[in-house]
Amino acid sequence: MGAKNLMSKLIIQELNPRERTGIYVGWDSYKVAEKDALWTDGIASCISITLYDPLSKRGALAHISAAYFPEIPKFLYPENVIDTLTRELHPYQGQLEATLAGEAFRLTKWASSLIRKKLQDSKILLVGEDLGNVTIGREVHFDCNTGEVTVYRYQ
């Protein structure tokens, strides 16, 4: 696993974020924005997923626990989250792009594997990921105006 940046959409910073602007996305939730910024924190064994429509500049950010607990809505389970986000972004005008971050401390990558499969089946381009390989948490900032996703690895 580790960091993969297929395009210049994913930026990985080995530092703490200097500022936090935009709409905060809490744990086990998601938000959709147009030409705005979204961010979430505490991404360790959890996974953050971004979906982006570059033509409309609309995007979605989800922070999921990647676990099956009764208090977590089923629409945020790893096998359902992509359907949830694409429904929220519909109608989208362009080719959707996705990024993934998190899944530290996990011995297996079952959740990201489910999400990747769903992205592939939905013909959504995975443009970058930062999974596993860190022993600390991450914070994810998503600029819906540019499509850039910055992953801060806490120091």
Side-chain angles (χ1 to χ4, degrees), residues 10 14 23 43 46 59 72-73 83 89 94 105 114 118 120 154:
L10 183 70
E14 300 283 347
I23 302 164
I43 300 292
C46 300
I72 298 172
D83 288 338
L89 288 173
F105 316 121
L114 283 173
K118 191 64 178 183
Q120 184 179 20
Y154 294 139

Side-chain angles (χ1 to χ4, degrees), residues 6 32 44 65 87 114 126 143 152:
L6 304 177
V32 175
S65 292
R87 263 194 308 277
L114 283 173
L126 179 62
D143 183 342
Y152 295 93

Side-chain angles (χ1 to χ4, degrees), residues 4-123:
K4 285 186 188 171
N5 187 4
L6 304 177
M7 301 175 112
S8 60
K9 299 284 185 174
L10 183 70
I11 301 163
I12 298 170
Q13 299 286 333
E14 300 283 347
L15 51 89
N16 295 331
R18 294 195 179 123
E19 62 181 63
R20 294 172 172 100
T21 59
I23 302 164
Y24 177 71
V25 179
W27 293 19
D28 292 316
S29 67
Y30 70 92
K31 301 274 187 198
V32 175
E34 184 174 338
K35 299 178 187 173
D36 205 343
L38 298 164
W39 68 280
T40 192
D41 58 4
I43 300 292
S45 59
C46 300
I47 299 176
S48 76
I49 302 112
T50 66
L51 289 187
Y52 182 62
D53 178 357
L55 293 180
S56 69
K57 299 190 184 300
R58 291 180 67 226
L61 171 64
H63 179 153
I64 66 168
S65 292
Y68 298 102
F69 297 117
E71 61 272 15
I72 298 172
K74 289 183 180 179
F75 60 83
L76 288 175
Y77 285 178
E79 64 271 20
N80 300 330
V81 68
I82 298 303
D83 288 338
T84 300
L85 298 179
T86 54
R87 263 194 308 277
E88 289 292 325
L89 288 173
H90 188 76
Y92 38 90
Q93 299 172 5
Q95 165 70 53
L96 292 180
E97 301 172 349
T99 67
L100 302 175
E103 213 167 35
F105 316 121
R106 291 188 186 257
L107 297 176
T108 64
K109 305 299 182 205
W110 65 270
S112 61
S113 295
L114 283 173
I115 294 167
R116 269 199 215 92
K117 172 92 170 84
K118 191 64 178 183
L119 289 170
Q120 184 179 20
D121 292 348
S122 301
K123 297 181 177 32

